[in-house]
Structure formats: structure tokens, C-alpha cells
Amino acid sequence: MPVEVTDSRLEISHPNGSSVELLLYGANIISWKAPGKTDGAIEERLYTSPKAFLDGSKPVRGGIPVVFPFFGPPTRPEHSQLSQHGFARSEVWKFDGIVSDNADVVSVRLVFEPNDSVKAKFPAPFRLFYIVALFAHQLNTSLHVENPSETQVLTFQALLHTYIRTEVAVSTVTPLKGLTYINKLKPGLPEEVETRDEVDVKEPADFVYKLAGGDYKVVGNGKGIHVQAKGFKDVVIWNPGTDGKKMSDLAEGGWDHFICVEPGAASYWIDLSPGSTWEGQQILTVL
Ligand code: TA6
């Protein structure tokens, strides 16, 4: 069966053996297994901490968390009752059907409409759709934000907080040289310009690159993932390093095995006019 649906998860299988495992909680992809283009060995391409909470009690430490309606800690009064990175990653989404099922791609759609709990803390009307499309060597995830209001503008941020599995000691992200970035580890300092041809995260990193171009490669030991983004102007590069010891849901040394490459609207806000829909897409391809 290309798509197995249980009360809490979706399992998507591609004819070539690739697979995706997704929790309805947060529409959080927790696993993407795909073959390399040369050796054909099917490997896990994302990092989900072995200590991640997968029971819906806490946002998942890993995979591809969906961030909406804002990135980072709440900074606006209308978000004062919400937690870091908003609620999309910690609410239960609904399976909304299979979009395609053929030899090339198996894709599904999920939907989230505000429940009473969300409405109480975030009264603006909205609807979210999330399309997950599994190809032979590629995983596309697309977030659609609908503004059903006839009068109100919907203002939000959105980001896909992707944990790319890779060995930090030998991995880099390119191309980021020349981009302006906010160093979140040095709050209050002016923005900086990236001077490195290749960015590594051997030291803790929490960088919001602005107007980043939407085409990145994470490579280590000759293997890696091509990350393309559409609709998301920024990209966040994060790894806590040994500060990860303070995170109860990040396994010891887990920080050595991922780089978060997060296409997003992180440094700017989107104003979605009444009756409109916005889309942000991430395309992950095995190199
Ligand atoms: O995307 C980077 C970041 O904003 C970091 O500042 C760090 O907080 C990370 O997200 C993880 O956030 P979380 O709420 O999942 O612990």
C-alpha cells in the first residue's frame, strides 16, 4: 500500500523503496528513507532524536517541524499566549487524502483548521494545507496558508525546520557567502555578512540568512542533500552543539549528526490579503 493511515501516523511508500513516516501531530515528518543515486542503498536522510517525544506531548525534536504562525519566541502581543515557533507543530492535523499515486510520485495532503483551543489564543481565521510528495530520490513538502476572511489581512511567518542527517564534523552548507545574516547567538549585534565559501556548524550556530536564494547543498563525505526553497526568502542554519546537552529530548551527541537547514519567512512577515492563499515549498533531493 503506497499510503498507510493509522489514527496517529501516515506511512508513505514509493515503488523504489523510499519511504516517509509522518505524525498527524504537527504534520511532523519524522523519517525519510531514500536510496543514493549511485549505490542505491536506502538510508535515513533526516535526523529525529531517539529521545524525541512522539506521543504528542511535546513538539518533535527532529524530522521536519512545521513552524506557523511565527518563527522563534513570540514577539507580538497577539502571539503572547502561544509558544515558540507557534502551534502548527504541536496541533493534530487531519489526513485529507491521496493527491497522487503512480510510478513517479506518491503524495498526500493534510489539513489543519483552527480548533477552539487555537481560536482562543489566535483568533485570526486561517486554514493550512500541507502537501507531502515522495519521489524516487526527492521529498517535496509544500505549506499552503489560506486566508478565508473577507475583510482581515492575515499576518504570519512560516518555516520548515528541517533536520538534515549528516556528520557535522565533515559537513558544510553552501552557498551562503555574501548573504546578510542575523546571528541569534549574539542578540543585539548588527547583522553580519557571510564570508565563508562553505559554512560548517562545528561550533554552535543559529544564523538567519536573509534573501538567501533558495538553493543550498548540505554535503559531508561526498554524500548529501540538495535543499531548494520556493516562497521562503530566508534560510536558517542551526545546530546547538554541546549546548544540546541542555535539551532533554536531544540524545547525547545528537548534535553531531544533523544540520538544520530551515527555509522560511523568519526575518520578515507575510501579509496575506483576504481570500488569498500563500505557498512555501521545500524540495529535498538526495545528491
Ligand atoms: O531554528 C533555530 C531555532 O530557532 C533555535 O533558536 C532553537 O531554538 C531551535 O530553533 C529549536 O527550537 P525548539 O523550540 O524546537 O527547541
Side-chain angles (χ1 to χ4, degrees):
M1 277 292 285
V3 180
E4 299 269 354
V5 185
T6 69
D7 59 350
S8 63
R9 296 187 180 209
L10 290 185
E11 298 200 6
I12 306 168
S13 307
H14 187 279
N16 81 330
S18 295
S19 64
V20 159
E21 196 166 353
L22 173 149
L23 303 181
L24 293 178
Y25 173 76
N28 207 117
I29 292 171
I30 57 172
S31 170
W32 168 40
K33 293 183 176 130
K37 287 198 170 162
T38 51
D39 63 9
I42 290 185
E43 295 178 18
E44 178 59 64
R45 303 297 172 169
L46 301 175
Y47 177 82
T48 295
S49 169
K51 295 176 71 177
F53 291 80
L54 303 181
D55 60 357
S57 61
K58 183 177 177 183
V60 175
R61 177 67 58 211
I64 307 178
V66 178
V67 171
F68 174 89
F70 57 85
F71 170 74
T75 56
R76 292 188 165 196
E78 64 268 29
H79 301 147
S80 59
Q81 298 181 72
L82 300 175
S83 307
Q84 167 147 294
H85 293 332
F87 48 72
R89 65 173 180 165
S90 50
E91 291 288 335
V92 177
W93 292 54
K94 288 193 176 77
F95 173 56
D96 192 41
I98 295 174
V99 177
S100 45
D101 169 13
N102 56 56
D104 292 330
V105 58
V106 181
S107 57
V108 299
R109 181 174 51 232
L110 296 100
V111 61
F112 179 74
E113 296 186 280
N115 51 41
D116 290 345
S117 158
V118 166
K119 285 176 186 172
K121 294 179 276 189
F122 185 79
F126 71 92
R127 189 168 35 238
L128 303 179
F129 288 97
Y130 195 43
I131 314 288
V132 177
L134 178 62
F135 296 80
H137 301 278
Q138 191 175 88
L139 174 61
N140 294 9
T141 52
S142 178
L143 179 65
H144 298 236
V145 180
E146 272 188 5
N147 178 3
S149 172
E150 292 178 4
T151 56
Q152 287 180 31
V153 170
L154 177 65
T155 298
F156 64 93
Q157 295 177 317
L159 172 136
L160 297 177
H161 201 295
T162 307
Y163 287 69
I164 301 288
R165 179 180 289 269
T166 193
E167 292 315 303
V168 164
V170 296
S171 298
T172 61
V173 186
T174 57
L176 298 170
K177 185 173 183 175
L179 295 177
T180 298
Y181 69 96
I182 300 160
N183 183 343
K184 288 179 61 182
L185 298 175
K186 299 178 181 172
L189 285 191
E191 297 177 355
E192 302 176 53
V193 176
E194 183 56 70
T195 57
R196 294 171 289 178
D197 291 320
E198 297 180 330
V199 171
D200 66 58
V201 295
K202 294 173 187 171
E203 296 298 322
D206 196 354
F207 307 143
V208 181
Y209 290 89
K210 303 169 71 172
L211 300 178
D215 195 311
Y216 324 103
K217 287 189 173 72
V218 181
V219 178
N221 278 336
K223 299 197 296 185
I225 299 291
H226 186 191
V227 181
Q228 296 165 283
K230 295 176 184 168
F232 292 119
K233 295 178 185 173
D234 298 335
V235 66
V236 178
I237 304 298
W238 176 68
N239 180 289
T242 51
D243 292 344
K245 289 178 183 290
K246 302 169 195 156
M247 308 171 103
S248 61
D249 56 358
L250 182 54
E252 177 65 26
W255 48 86
D256 291 333
H257 306 296
F258 72 86
I259 300 180
C260 275
V261 180
E262 313 165 22
S267 71
Y268 64 96
W269 293 85
I270 295 162
D271 292 315
L272 187 59
S273 51
S276 302
T277 298
W278 172 88
E279 180 183 359
Q281 184 179 25
Q282 171 184 258
I283 301 166
L284 304 178
T285 308
V286 177
L287 289 173

